[in-house]
Amino acid sequence: MSSDLRDLYQEMILDHNKRPRNYRALECATCHADGYNPLCGDQVTIYLDLEGGVVKDIGFVGSGCAISKASASMMTESLKGKTLAEVEDLFERFHQLVTGEPCKSCERAEAQPHVDLGKLEAFSGVSEYPARVKCATLPWHTLQAALRHEGAPVTTE
């Protein structure tokens, strides 16, 4: 990765940390979940308004490090208007990006329209810092708990 691209990605993460998008609780949420990273203290609550299997609206509240807050902010921007299948595909691709682990849905994705990671590519350098992977994935794991209507808070441990 070139240093210019790395600088651009760092700027995007810092901007989303400073001015998080969709930072609000949804009063009309059809599902929500809480997440906690005991390693660094990140806390997040994800709110979703689903309509006909599509993410009509999504928001989050919480506190944490720049990576965690930026990940939640960029996740919410990426998921509006997506179907549940597209949400799952995006989760798998993002998880692969930040962990370097094989993508479980890549074979399935061959038969479906490709979901581009877009701005989420800014997290491509996170895999070099294993302690930060949990920060970046906390909002995503919390999202999955919300979609499954799990009552217990999600932890990264």
Side-chain angles (χ1 to χ4, degrees):
M1 178 186 310
S2 72
S3 73
D4 288 345
L5 188 56
R6 189 178 301 260
D7 290 347
L8 174 63
Y9 284 170
Q10 187 172 10
E11 282 180 35
M12 288 173 61
I13 289 171
L14 292 174
D15 180 53
H16 277 267
N17 175 52
K18 198 176 201 178
R19 298 180 307 119
R21 281 60 155 189
N22 303 304
Y23 190 83
R24 60 191 171 16
L26 298 181
E27 292 183 22
C28 61
T30 56
C31 52
H32 72 281
D34 299 314
Y36 178 62
N37 180 353
L39 186 64
C40 66
D42 297 337
Q43 294 181 325
V44 67
T45 301
I46 303 292
Y47 299 90
L48 286 151
D49 181 16
L50 299 176
E51 188 173 293
V54 174
V55 177
K56 182 178 174 189
D57 201 3
I58 182 170
F60 78 101
V61 295
S63 61
C65 69
I67 296 290
S68 175
K69 191 180 280 184
S71 179
S73 175
M74 293 168 80
M75 177 186 79
T76 61
E77 281 195 318
S78 299
L79 296 182
K80 282 186 184 177
K82 296 278 193 278
T83 66
L84 294 177
E86 291 169 328
V87 169
E88 184 64 28
D89 189 49
L90 202 54
F91 171 85
E92 292 292 338
R93 291 179 184 278
F94 181 78
H95 197 265
Q96 178 189 29
L97 176 75
V98 297
T99 64
E101 295 176 5
C103 179
K104 294 176 186 173
S105 68
C106 288
E107 289 181 22
R108 181 175 55 87
E110 295 296 324
Q112 298 181 1
H114 177 68
V115 177
D116 188 7
L117 283 174
K119 291 180 179 180
L120 293 170
E121 292 279 344
F123 293 93
S124 61
V126 169
S127 64
E128 297 173 24
Y129 306 97
R132 292 302 190 194
V133 170
K134 292 180 180 182
C135 302
T137 59
L138 178 65
W140 293 84
H141 288 294
T142 307
L143 166 74
Q144 286 199 317
L147 292 172
R148 294 177 184 145
H149 300 281
E150 296 174 3
V154 174
T155 69
T156 54
E157 293 301 314

